Amino acid sequence: MEIIQFFIDLLRDPRQFIADWINTLGPIWAYAPLFTIIFVETGLVVMPFLPGDSLLFAAGVFTAEGGGLNIVVLISLLITAAVLGNTSNYWIGRKIGQAIIDSGRVKSLTPKRIAETQAFIDKYGPVAIVLTRFFPFLRTFAPFLAGVGRMSFPRFTLFNIIGGSLWVALFTLLGHFFGGVPFVVEHFELVIIAIVLISLMPMLYGIIRTRMKMRKSKAERAEESPAESLIESKEETPADSDEVSPES
């Protein structure tokens, strides 16, 4: 229960946690928990709910003057964490992924989420490894399912590095340049919530679009079925008349 509360608090205000790490561990060792959280979110399929986007943004805030962290060191370390995390997740999926799915023990791996992520990979191929970096949950499931599907490891690694670099650099630089804006400072929790919601919007759009397509497909099948019944009845009529005619 305490670990769940920790993640809830971290998601709500990562800035306070990072400030505490800098004060208690020192600027050098403060990179360690940041590295660990980014690695775990992307590297373990059981931890898709960690606040990657908001944590990167908050960490970027502390790279501004007097913040205690160095922007070049931060970006370099967290890109490494993101790439290694995806690589770990890929090999977990490749070696024991199907057994994990079949066991049903990983509750976050619902059939719906698996289907959505797999459809994304099928549509975009290795580029999905880049795109899913910006979608919570999907960025954790994509490398795992790429491993299950035995995507070529060299191709996976190329897009893994590209995606990890873009994801980390974008959010940390946003924090670096905009974290000191008075509105952001005064309403930091609202900004974090906005980042989470914006990150979730493409995924929610995909879910809504998929459901609308399914409803449309069902409606079309429902409209076709009466016509099919009418055709079948017409086909049966001559046979019925042949049977009656001898009696007449």
Side-chain angles (χ1 to χ4, degrees):
M1 199 65 184
E2 291 182 4
I3 190 68
I4 295 175
Q5 188 59 48
F6 168 79
F7 289 134
I8 292 173
D9 293 340
L10 180 62
L11 178 62
R12 187 170 56 201
D13 190 4
R15 181 179 58 174
Q16 184 59 54
F17 279 84
I18 296 172
D20 291 342
W21 294 333
I22 292 174
N23 290 330
T24 57
L25 302 174
I28 295 177
W29 286 103
Y31 294 106
L34 293 169
F35 183 98
T36 301
I37 291 172
I38 294 301
F39 174 83
V40 168
E41 186 202 8
T42 57
L44 300 179
V45 74
V46 296
M47 304 290 277
F49 47 80
L50 292 179
D53 300 336
S54 55
L55 187 70
L56 292 174
F57 180 86
V61 172
F62 289 89
T63 62
E65 186 176 352
L69 301 180
N70 179 279
I71 185 65
V72 175
V73 174
L74 180 70
I75 289 178
S76 300
L77 281 175
L78 297 189
I79 286 175
T80 303
V83 171
L84 290 178
N86 259 23
T87 303
S88 169
N89 216 344
Y90 171 90
W91 284 108
I92 290 172
R94 184 152 181 165
K95 295 297 183 181
I96 57 172
Q98 195 57 55
I100 291 174
I101 293 172
D102 294 341
S103 71
R105 293 181 179 178
V106 180
K107 302 304 180 185
S108 57
L109 272 174
T110 63
K112 181 179 175 183
R113 286 173 179 166
I114 292 173
E116 289 169 356
T117 309
Q118 191 60 58
F120 203 91
I121 293 174
D122 292 342
K123 183 175 182 180
Y124 294 103
V127 178
I129 305 303
V130 176
L131 299 177
T132 53
R133 280 288 189 181
F134 300 90
F135 301 159
F137 291 98
L138 293 188
R139 67 169 154 259
T140 304
F141 300 142
F144 176 82
L145 292 176
V148 173
R150 296 188 172 275
M151 181 184 292
S152 166
F153 183 64
R155 294 183 71 193
F156 170 83
T157 300
L158 172 63
F159 289 97
N160 179 22
I161 293 171
I162 294 171
S165 301
L166 291 175
W167 178 55
V168 170
L170 174 64
F171 282 98
T172 52
L173 289 174
L174 283 174
H176 176 79
F177 289 112
F178 298 103
V181 174
F183 177 85
V184 176
V185 174
E186 294 173 10
H187 304 90
F188 195 79
E189 289 191 15
L190 293 177
V191 172
I192 293 301
I193 292 171
I195 291 173
V196 173
L197 291 177
I198 291 170
S199 300
L200 289 171
M201 280 177 64
M203 188 170 65
L204 293 174
Y205 170 75
I207 293 171
I208 293 170
R209 186 178 177 184
T210 301
R211 288 186 176 179
M212 288 178 67
K213 284 184 177 180
M214 290 175 63
R215 288 180 181 177
K216 184 178 179 181
S217 178
K218 287 181 181 178
E220 289 175 351
R221 287 199 300 268
E223 290 176 0
E224 290 172 0
S225 56
E228 290 174 358
S229 300
L230 183 60
I231 292 171
E232 289 176 0
S233 63
K234 286 183 178 179
E235 289 175 350
E236 292 174 0
T237 304
D240 293 341
S241 60
D242 290 343
E243 291 176 4
V244 174
S245 57
E247 295 180 3
S248 59

